[in-house]
Amino acid sequence: MSDAPHIPVLGPEAIAHLAPREGGIYVDATFGAGGYSRAILDVPGTRVIAIDRDRTAIEGGAELVASASGRLTLVEDRFSNLAEVCAAQGVDGVDGVVMDVGVSSMQLDQAARGFSFRLDGPLDMRMGQTGPTAADVVARASESDLADIIYLFGEERHSRRIARAIVADRQETPFTTTRALADLVGRVVRSKPGDIHPATRTFQALRIFVNEELAELQAALAAAEHLLKPGGRLVVVSFHSLEDRIVKNFLGDRAKTGGGSRHLPEVAQTAPSFELLTRRPVIAGEEEVARNPRARSAKLRAAERTSAPAHADNEPSSWPKLSDVMRGG
């Protein structure tokens, strides 16, 4: 089944940590071009439930579904709903979950999707087909909300200056294209030769916010914890520090054992629900980075599910929410 050349970033390493075995059931939570699914299906008798919120990816996977002879189910949905997706297929436990978080190269390379400041197109940025676009957010969010979004999700220290300029300029002409927004950020944020493009962090922030990516990731990790069988494996590849921090903290918390102070009364510890397989993140080698510069920022973390009950879900984060910002809340 290896007739397609697409290999995800850190793909061989991800599959090695997932360790699919004959007869196992696996979730490819971010199908994309099908690289993980294809590799899992190479193991005889495996079954894959794959998810993607991008209809283009679903349509592109039709041929692989047909060639998999019933072993691949491809569902258009958010990966945070992976437990519900599996339940709809009559599956209440799986042997592995793999996810590649963030925007795909296919999405970045399509000007019409509006993800890239290097390609002029509509200011969209939606991974799915529904909900507000980046243009809607830029048009309606308050100056303070825009500044918070750009600072928190883009880690952009010039966020207030950028937000102020957006609000001033949109009164004359709405921002409807990637080029218009990138040009404004380029005027506001000065850069030196060799620096990343001035609009990089602002575009990252809007993309993460529009797609609610960090909240989606938190929900997907919690869902995977409930769905994985004892001995099942969770493998996550992320591409920037915000995502990696969420994965690191989630797995670190779930793998924690003991650690109470001997000077304080003993407190019952929640049994660890995961055992770490990667104490430090796996990163791409020089050859892969040379072949695909995007691999430079990739980090892989993996863990194996124990037989302990799933932990209580963490308190939701206090990030700005898309629904609140769009209704002026």
Side-chain angles (χ1 to χ4, degrees), residues 17 244 248 276-283 299-302:
H17 282 87
D244 181 59
K248 176 183 177 181
L276 297 180
L277 299 173
T278 52
R279 293 288 169 182
R280 298 189 178 199
V282 176
I283 60 175
K299 292 183 178 180
L300 181 154
R301 295 186 187 272

Side-chain angles (χ1 to χ4, degrees), residues 207-236:
R207 189 205 82 219
I208 289 173
F209 182 69
V210 164
N211 294 291
E212 301 175 289
E213 292 178 39
L214 301 188
E216 283 284 299
L217 175 57
Q218 286 185 319
L221 293 171
E225 179 185 17
H226 287 273
L227 190 62
L228 283 164
K229 302 173 185 176
R233 292 188 168 191
L234 174 62
V235 180
V236 186

Side-chain angles (χ1 to χ4, degrees), residues 298-319:
K299 292 183 178 180
L300 181 154
R301 295 186 187 272
E304 185 172 295
R305 189 70 170 83
T306 70
S307 59
H311 289 207
D313 291 342
N314 293 340
E315 289 295 318
S317 298
S318 57
W319 298 308

Side-chain angles (χ1 to χ4, degrees), residues 14-15 17-20 25-30 36 40 47-51 79-80 82-83 86 91 93-100 217 219-229 231-237 251 274 277 300-305:
I15 296 301
H17 282 87
L18 188 67
I25 302 175
Y26 298 88
V27 175
D28 179 353
T30 50
Y36 292 144
I40 296 167
R47 178 184 174 191
V48 177
I49 299 171
I51 304 167
F79 75 142
S80 59
L82 62 90
C86 288
V91 173
V94 300
D95 299 290
V97 177
V98 60
M99 55 184 79
D100 180 328
L217 175 57
L221 293 171
E225 179 185 17
H226 287 273
L227 190 62
L228 283 164
K229 302 173 185 176
R233 292 188 168 191
L234 174 62
V235 180
V236 186
V237 177
L251 292 179
F274 280 101
L277 299 173
L300 181 154
R301 295 186 187 272
E304 185 172 295
R305 189 70 170 83

Side-chain angles (χ1 to χ4, degrees), residues 221-222 225 234 245-254 274:
L221 293 171
E225 179 185 17
L234 174 62
R245 196 176 305 140
I246 288 171
V247 179
K248 176 183 177 181
N249 290 343
F250 176 86
L251 292 179
D253 176 68
R254 265 54 177 185
F274 280 101

Side-chain angles (χ1 to χ4, degrees), residues 6 28-35 50-52 54 56-58 60-61 74 104 106:
H6 177 76
D28 179 353
T30 50
F31 179 75
I51 304 167
D52 205 297
D54 189 337
T56 304
I58 300 296
L74 184 52
S104 73
M106 296 183 301

Side-chain angles (χ1 to χ4, degrees), residues 139-171:
R140 295 179 56 183
S142 68
E143 181 179 326
S144 61
D145 280 338
L146 278 173
D148 287 345
I149 290 165
I150 296 168
Y151 179 74
L152 292 170
F153 298 129
E155 299 177 298
E156 171 59 78
R157 61 191 180 93
H158 301 295
S159 61
R160 302 216 172 274
R161 192 188 309 168
I162 295 168
R164 192 179 311 122
I166 288 173
V167 170
D169 280 25
R170 76 186 183 188
Q171 296 178 28

